[in-house]
Amino acid sequence: MGVSVIVFGLVQLVPGDPIRLALGTRFDQETYDALLARSGLDQPLVTQYFSWAGRALTGDLGVSFRSGETVTSLIAERLPATLTLAFASILVALLIAVPLGTLSALRPRSVVDRVATVLSQIGISVPEFWMAIVLILVFAGTLGWLPSGGYVPLTEDPAGWAQRLLMPAVVTGVVSGSVITRFVRSSVLEALGADHVRTAQAKGLPGRQVFTWHVLRNALLPLVTVTGVQLAYLLSGVVVVEIVFAWPGLGQLALQAVQSRDYPVLQGAILLFAVVFLLINLVVDLLYTAIDPRIRR
Protein backbone atom coordinates (compact mmCIF):
# COMPACT_ATOMS: atom_id res chain seq x y z
CA MET A 1 0.00 0.00 0.00
CA GLY A 2 2.83 2.36 0.86
CA VAL A 3 4.58 1.70 -2.43
CA SER A 4 1.35 2.23 -4.36
CA VAL A 5 0.90 5.68 -2.80
CA ILE A 6 4.53 6.68 -3.41
CA VAL A 7 4.53 5.40 -6.99
CA PHE A 8 1.27 7.14 -7.83
CA GLY A 9 2.50 10.40 -6.33
CA LEU A 10 5.90 10.34 -8.06
CA VAL A 11 4.39 9.50 -11.45
CA GLN A 12 2.29 12.66 -11.24
CA LEU A 13 5.50 14.68 -10.94
CA VAL A 14 6.87 13.40 -14.27
CA PRO A 15 6.84 16.37 -16.69
CA GLY A 16 4.88 16.13 -19.93
CA ASP A 17 1.30 15.46 -21.01
CA PRO A 18 0.70 11.73 -21.59
CA ILE A 19 -2.45 12.41 -23.63
CA ARG A 20 -0.58 14.67 -26.08
CA LEU A 21 2.20 12.10 -26.39
CA ALA A 22 -0.32 9.33 -27.04
CA LEU A 23 -2.21 11.32 -29.72
CA GLY A 24 0.86 12.68 -31.51
CA THR A 25 1.05 16.09 -33.19
CA ARG A 26 -2.24 16.08 -35.11
CA PHE A 27 -5.42 15.98 -33.02
CA ASP A 28 -8.39 18.17 -32.22
CA GLN A 29 -9.61 19.31 -28.82
CA GLU A 30 -12.61 16.96 -28.91
CA THR A 31 -10.39 13.91 -29.33
CA TYR A 32 -8.08 15.18 -26.59
CA ASP A 33 -11.00 15.69 -24.15
CA ALA A 34 -12.45 12.26 -24.95
CA LEU A 35 -9.16 10.44 -24.27
CA LEU A 36 -8.60 12.53 -21.14
CA ALA A 37 -12.02 11.51 -19.79
CA ARG A 38 -11.59 7.86 -20.79
CA SER A 39 -8.23 7.64 -19.01
CA GLY A 40 -9.66 9.31 -15.89
CA LEU A 41 -6.98 12.02 -15.82
CA ASP A 42 -9.65 14.72 -15.61
CA GLN A 43 -10.55 13.55 -12.10
CA PRO A 44 -8.96 14.82 -8.84
CA LEU A 45 -5.75 13.01 -7.86
CA VAL A 46 -7.32 11.36 -4.80
CA THR A 47 -10.15 9.98 -6.93
CA GLN A 48 -7.64 8.77 -9.54
CA TYR A 49 -5.59 6.97 -6.88
CA PHE A 50 -8.46 5.13 -5.23
CA SER A 51 -9.90 4.20 -8.62
CA TRP A 52 -6.54 2.77 -9.75
CA ALA A 53 -5.80 1.04 -6.43
CA GLY A 54 -9.27 -0.51 -6.30
CA ARG A 55 -8.87 -1.97 -9.80
CA ALA A 56 -5.32 -3.13 -8.99
CA LEU A 57 -6.63 -5.22 -6.10
CA THR A 58 -8.70 -7.19 -8.62
CA GLY A 59 -5.75 -7.59 -11.01
CA ASP A 60 -6.80 -4.78 -13.36
CA LEU A 61 -3.81 -2.44 -13.73
CA GLY A 62 -5.42 -0.29 -16.39
CA VAL A 63 -4.82 0.26 -20.10
CA SER A 64 -1.68 1.60 -21.76
CA PHE A 65 -1.97 5.13 -23.15
CA ARG A 66 0.55 4.25 -25.83
CA SER A 67 -0.67 0.92 -27.27
CA GLY A 68 -4.23 0.60 -25.95
CA GLU A 69 -3.43 -2.87 -24.55
CA THR A 70 -4.06 -3.82 -20.94
CA VAL A 71 -1.12 -3.40 -18.61
CA THR A 72 -1.58 -6.96 -17.36
CA SER A 73 -1.16 -8.38 -20.87
CA LEU A 74 1.93 -6.22 -21.51
CA ILE A 75 3.54 -7.43 -18.29
CA ALA A 76 2.59 -11.06 -19.00
CA GLU A 77 4.16 -10.73 -22.45
CA ARG A 78 7.49 -9.55 -21.01
CA LEU A 79 7.51 -11.76 -17.90
CA PRO A 80 8.91 -14.98 -19.49
CA ALA A 81 11.99 -13.14 -20.80
CA THR A 82 12.60 -11.51 -17.40
CA LEU A 83 12.18 -14.78 -15.48
CA THR A 84 14.52 -16.58 -17.88
CA LEU A 85 17.28 -13.98 -17.57
CA ALA A 86 16.91 -13.63 -13.78
CA PHE A 87 17.13 -17.33 -12.92
CA ALA A 88 19.89 -18.00 -15.46
CA SER A 89 21.88 -15.06 -14.06
CA ILE A 90 21.49 -16.15 -10.45
CA LEU A 91 22.62 -19.67 -11.43
CA VAL A 92 25.76 -18.24 -13.07
CA ALA A 93 26.32 -16.05 -10.00
CA LEU A 94 26.15 -18.99 -7.58
CA LEU A 95 28.40 -21.14 -9.76
CA ILE A 96 30.99 -18.37 -9.52
CA ALA A 97 30.49 -17.22 -5.94
CA VAL A 98 30.16 -20.41 -3.90
CA PRO A 99 33.37 -22.17 -5.06
CA LEU A 100 35.43 -18.96 -5.27
CA GLY A 101 34.25 -17.55 -1.95
CA THR A 102 34.70 -20.89 -0.17
CA LEU A 103 38.23 -21.47 -1.49
CA SER A 104 39.13 -17.90 -0.55
CA ALA A 105 37.89 -18.44 3.03
CA LEU A 106 39.59 -21.81 3.44
CA ARG A 107 42.95 -20.28 2.44
CA PRO A 108 42.94 -16.73 3.80
CA ARG A 109 45.75 -14.41 2.69
CA SER A 110 46.92 -16.96 0.15
CA VAL A 111 47.34 -16.48 -3.60
CA VAL A 112 43.86 -17.96 -4.14
CA ASP A 113 42.37 -15.49 -1.67
CA ARG A 114 44.10 -12.50 -3.27
CA VAL A 115 43.09 -13.56 -6.79
CA ALA A 116 39.48 -14.08 -5.67
CA THR A 117 39.44 -10.63 -4.03
CA VAL A 118 40.81 -8.93 -7.15
CA LEU A 119 38.38 -10.77 -9.46
CA SER A 120 35.37 -9.91 -7.29
CA GLN A 121 36.45 -6.25 -7.15
CA ILE A 122 36.79 -6.16 -10.94
CA GLY A 123 33.38 -7.80 -11.35
CA ILE A 124 31.75 -5.18 -9.14
CA SER A 125 33.61 -2.23 -10.68
CA VAL A 126 33.31 -2.95 -14.42
CA PRO A 127 30.13 -1.37 -15.87
CA GLU A 128 27.60 -3.87 -17.19
CA PHE A 129 27.15 -2.08 -20.51
CA TRP A 130 30.92 -2.15 -21.18
CA MET A 131 31.16 -5.86 -20.42
CA ALA A 132 28.11 -6.52 -22.61
CA ILE A 133 29.57 -4.59 -25.55
CA VAL A 134 32.92 -6.41 -25.25
CA LEU A 135 31.18 -9.81 -25.28
CA ILE A 136 29.14 -8.81 -28.33
CA LEU A 137 32.26 -7.61 -30.17
CA VAL A 138 34.19 -10.81 -29.38
CA PHE A 139 31.62 -13.61 -29.54
CA ALA A 140 29.11 -12.14 -32.00
CA GLY A 141 31.25 -9.81 -34.12
CA THR A 142 34.73 -11.38 -34.29
CA LEU A 143 34.10 -15.09 -33.69
CA GLY A 144 30.48 -15.24 -34.84
CA TRP A 145 29.63 -17.94 -32.30
CA LEU A 146 26.58 -16.25 -30.76
CA PRO A 147 23.83 -13.87 -31.93
CA SER A 148 24.30 -10.29 -30.76
CA GLY A 149 20.89 -10.00 -29.10
CA GLY A 150 17.18 -10.64 -29.22
CA TYR A 151 14.98 -13.21 -27.54
CA VAL A 152 13.41 -16.46 -28.77
CA PRO A 153 10.96 -18.44 -26.58
CA LEU A 154 12.23 -21.81 -25.38
CA THR A 155 9.27 -23.64 -26.93
CA GLU A 156 9.96 -22.24 -30.40
CA ASP A 157 13.73 -22.75 -30.69
CA PRO A 158 15.59 -24.27 -27.71
CA ALA A 159 19.02 -23.85 -29.32
CA GLY A 160 18.36 -20.22 -30.29
CA TRP A 161 16.95 -19.55 -26.82
CA ALA A 162 20.13 -20.84 -25.15
CA GLN A 163 22.43 -18.96 -27.56
CA ARG A 164 20.67 -15.62 -27.00
CA LEU A 165 20.50 -16.15 -23.24
CA LEU A 166 24.18 -16.95 -22.70
CA MET A 167 25.79 -13.50 -22.96
CA PRO A 168 23.15 -11.52 -20.98
CA ALA A 169 23.19 -14.17 -18.26
CA VAL A 170 26.99 -14.09 -18.04
CA VAL A 171 27.09 -10.28 -17.81
CA THR A 172 24.51 -10.01 -15.02
CA GLY A 173 25.72 -13.23 -13.37
CA VAL A 174 29.31 -11.98 -13.12
CA VAL A 175 28.20 -8.77 -11.41
CA SER A 176 25.87 -10.54 -8.97
CA GLY A 177 28.42 -13.32 -8.43
CA SER A 178 31.10 -10.77 -7.50
CA VAL A 179 28.81 -9.36 -4.81
CA ILE A 180 27.84 -12.78 -3.47
CA THR A 181 31.49 -13.98 -3.43
CA ARG A 182 32.37 -11.46 -0.73
CA PHE A 183 29.46 -12.56 1.46
CA VAL A 184 30.36 -16.24 1.02
CA ARG A 185 33.96 -15.57 2.00
CA SER A 186 33.09 -13.56 5.11
CA SER A 187 30.37 -15.96 6.29
CA VAL A 188 32.56 -19.07 5.82
CA LEU A 189 35.44 -17.35 7.64
CA GLU A 190 33.15 -16.46 10.53
CA ALA A 191 31.80 -20.02 10.72
CA LEU A 192 35.33 -21.49 10.66
CA GLY A 193 36.23 -19.43 13.73
CA ALA A 194 33.23 -20.54 15.77
CA ASP A 195 33.74 -22.52 19.00
CA HIS A 196 31.69 -25.53 17.88
CA VAL A 197 33.84 -25.88 14.74
CA ARG A 198 37.07 -25.91 16.78
CA THR A 199 35.48 -28.47 19.12
CA ALA A 200 34.54 -30.71 16.18
CA GLN A 201 38.08 -30.46 14.83
CA ALA A 202 39.55 -31.24 18.28
CA LYS A 203 37.35 -34.35 18.50
CA GLY A 204 39.01 -35.62 15.33
CA LEU A 205 36.10 -35.40 12.90
CA PRO A 206 37.11 -35.56 9.23
CA GLY A 207 37.62 -32.16 7.59
CA ARG A 208 34.92 -32.77 4.98
CA GLN A 209 32.36 -33.65 7.66
CA VAL A 210 33.27 -30.59 9.73
CA PHE A 211 32.91 -28.34 6.71
CA THR A 212 29.61 -29.86 5.50
CA TRP A 213 27.77 -30.12 8.81
CA HIS A 214 29.25 -27.37 10.93
CA VAL A 215 30.65 -24.68 8.59
CA LEU A 216 28.57 -24.71 5.42
CA ARG A 217 25.19 -24.87 7.12
CA ASN A 218 25.98 -21.92 9.38
CA ALA A 219 27.36 -19.97 6.43
CA LEU A 220 24.17 -20.46 4.42
CA LEU A 221 22.11 -17.79 6.18
CA PRO A 222 23.99 -14.75 4.79
CA LEU A 223 24.22 -16.49 1.40
CA VAL A 224 20.46 -17.01 1.26
CA THR A 225 19.87 -13.38 2.23
CA VAL A 226 22.11 -11.80 -0.40
CA THR A 227 21.01 -14.29 -3.09
CA GLY A 228 17.38 -13.35 -2.44
CA VAL A 229 18.19 -9.64 -2.75
CA GLN A 230 20.10 -10.21 -6.00
CA LEU A 231 17.30 -12.34 -7.43
CA ALA A 232 14.72 -9.68 -6.61
CA TYR A 233 16.94 -7.08 -8.27
CA LEU A 234 17.24 -9.23 -11.41
CA LEU A 235 13.50 -9.94 -11.51
CA SER A 236 12.86 -6.21 -11.42
CA GLY A 237 14.62 -5.87 -14.76
CA VAL A 238 18.23 -5.13 -15.64
CA VAL A 239 17.55 -2.12 -17.85
CA VAL A 240 21.04 -1.50 -19.26
CA VAL A 241 21.67 -5.14 -20.14
CA GLU A 242 18.20 -5.49 -21.65
CA ILE A 243 18.80 -2.46 -23.89
CA VAL A 244 22.26 -3.58 -25.07
CA PHE A 245 21.08 -7.11 -25.89
CA ALA A 246 17.60 -6.03 -27.13
CA TRP A 247 16.11 -8.27 -24.43
CA PRO A 248 12.34 -7.67 -24.10
CA GLY A 249 12.13 -7.67 -20.31
CA LEU A 250 10.21 -5.73 -17.69
CA GLY A 251 13.04 -3.24 -17.16
CA GLN A 252 12.89 -2.16 -20.79
CA LEU A 253 9.08 -1.96 -20.55
CA ALA A 254 9.33 0.37 -17.52
CA LEU A 255 11.91 2.56 -19.28
CA GLN A 256 9.69 2.88 -22.37
CA ALA A 257 6.77 3.79 -20.10
CA VAL A 258 8.83 6.61 -18.54
CA GLN A 259 9.87 7.94 -21.93
CA SER A 260 6.29 7.95 -23.26
CA ARG A 261 4.68 9.09 -19.96
CA ASP A 262 2.60 5.91 -19.98
CA TYR A 263 1.39 6.20 -16.38
CA PRO A 264 -0.61 2.93 -16.10
CA VAL A 265 2.26 0.78 -17.42
CA LEU A 266 4.83 2.50 -15.20
CA GLN A 267 2.65 2.22 -12.09
CA GLY A 268 1.84 -1.42 -12.81
CA ALA A 269 5.47 -2.37 -13.44
CA ILE A 270 6.80 -0.70 -10.28
CA LEU A 271 4.00 -2.18 -8.19
CA LEU A 272 4.95 -5.62 -9.54
CA PHE A 273 8.61 -5.01 -8.62
CA ALA A 274 7.56 -4.16 -5.04
CA VAL A 275 5.44 -7.33 -4.79
CA VAL A 276 8.39 -9.40 -6.09
CA PHE A 277 10.68 -7.99 -3.39
CA LEU A 278 8.11 -8.71 -0.68
CA LEU A 279 7.52 -12.29 -1.86
CA ILE A 280 11.23 -13.08 -2.13
CA ASN A 281 11.87 -11.66 1.35
CA LEU A 282 9.08 -13.90 2.64
CA VAL A 283 10.62 -16.96 0.94
CA VAL A 284 14.03 -16.08 2.42
CA ASP A 285 12.52 -15.85 5.92
CA LEU A 286 10.87 -19.26 5.46
CA LEU A 287 14.17 -20.75 4.27
CA TYR A 288 15.80 -19.49 7.46
CA THR A 289 13.59 -21.80 9.51
CA ALA A 290 14.59 -24.77 7.34
CA ILE A 291 18.32 -24.00 7.62
CA ASP A 292 18.53 -22.94 11.29
CA PRO A 293 16.40 -24.88 13.82
CA ARG A 294 16.97 -22.15 16.44
CA ILE A 295 14.85 -19.75 14.39
CA ARG A 296 12.13 -22.39 14.11
CA ARG A 297 11.91 -22.66 17.91
Side-chain angles (χ1 to χ4, degrees):
M1 288 177 64
V3 169
S4 71
V5 173
I6 294 170
V7 169
F8 184 84
L10 289 176
V11 164
Q12 306 305 316
L13 299 177
V14 176
D17 188 340
I19 305 300
R20 289 182 181 274
L21 288 170
L23 291 174
T25 56
R26 297 182 178 179
F27 62 91
D28 53 31
Q29 189 62 37
E30 185 179 349
T31 305
Y32 178 88
D33 293 339
L35 185 55
L36 186 70
R38 191 177 71 182
S39 61
L41 295 180
D42 59 338
Q43 302 293 323
L45 287 180
V46 175
T47 305
Q48 289 183 42
Y49 169 74
F50 282 107
S51 176
W52 170 71
R55 292 195 309 270
L57 288 174
T58 64
D60 179 8
L61 297 174
V63 178
S64 168
F65 294 160
R66 185 181 180 187
S67 65
E69 299 179 60
T70 62
V71 176
T72 306
S73 64
L74 288 173
I75 290 175
E77 184 182 333
R78 302 289 187 111
L79 196 57
T82 296
L83 290 174
T84 300
L85 181 57
F87 284 104
S89 301
I90 209 69
L91 177 61
V92 171
L94 291 174
L95 289 175
I96 294 171
V98 174
L100 195 61
T102 303
L103 286 173
S104 180
L106 292 174
R107 299 177 181 178
R109 290 183 288 278
S110 66
V111 175
V112 174
D113 184 25
R114 296 181 190 279
V115 170
T117 302
V118 170
L119 289 177
S120 64
Q121 185 63 46
I122 291 173
I124 294 171
S125 304
V126 171
E128 291 179 334
F129 71 87
W130 183 87
M131 195 186 308
I133 291 171
V134 169
L135 289 182
I136 290 172
L137 287 174
V138 174
F139 293 102
T142 305
L143 300 174
W145 291 351
L146 298 169
S148 60
Y151 171 76
V152 176
L154 175 62
T155 53
E156 292 183 10
D157 183 7
W161 171 83
Q163 289 176 338
R164 287 168 173 79
L165 175 63
L166 187 58
M167 286 196 290
V170 168
V171 171
T172 51
V174 165
V175 176
S176 296
S178 300
V179 175
I180 298 173
T181 298
R182 295 189 165 197
F183 282 88
V184 172
R185 181 186 182 278
S186 61
S187 59
V188 171
L189 272 176
E190 184 179 353
L192 283 170
D195 292 339
H196 67 277
V197 172
R198 287 197 293 269
T199 302
Q201 292 170 337
K203 288 168 62 178
L205 289 177
R208 181 175 296 179
Q209 188 174 345
V210 171
F211 178 77
T212 304
W213 289 102
H214 299 284
V215 176
L216 187 59
R217 193 164 184 178
N218 284 280
L220 276 178
L221 288 177
L223 175 61
V224 169
T225 302
V226 71
T227 302
V229 172
Q230 290 296 315
L231 180 59
Y233 161 70
L234 293 169
L235 285 171
S236 300
V238 192
V239 179
V240 174
V241 174
E242 290 179 2
I243 290 172
V244 174
F245 289 105
W247 192 266
L250 290 174
Q252 194 175 124
L253 177 67
L255 179 63
Q256 291 170 352
V258 172
Q259 293 171 336
S260 61
R261 311 297 189 270
D262 199 342
Y263 294 171
V265 174
L266 182 58
Q267 290 170 178
I270 297 177
L271 194 62
L272 176 65
F273 299 158
V275 171
V276 165
F277 266 92
L278 288 173
L279 289 177
I280 289 181
N281 281 332
L282 176 61
V283 171
V284 166
D285 287 344
L286 294 175
L287 285 175
Y288 281 175
T289 64
I291 295 170
D292 192 343
R294 294 172 299 179
I295 298 176
R296 197 180 312 149
R297 287 197 294 268

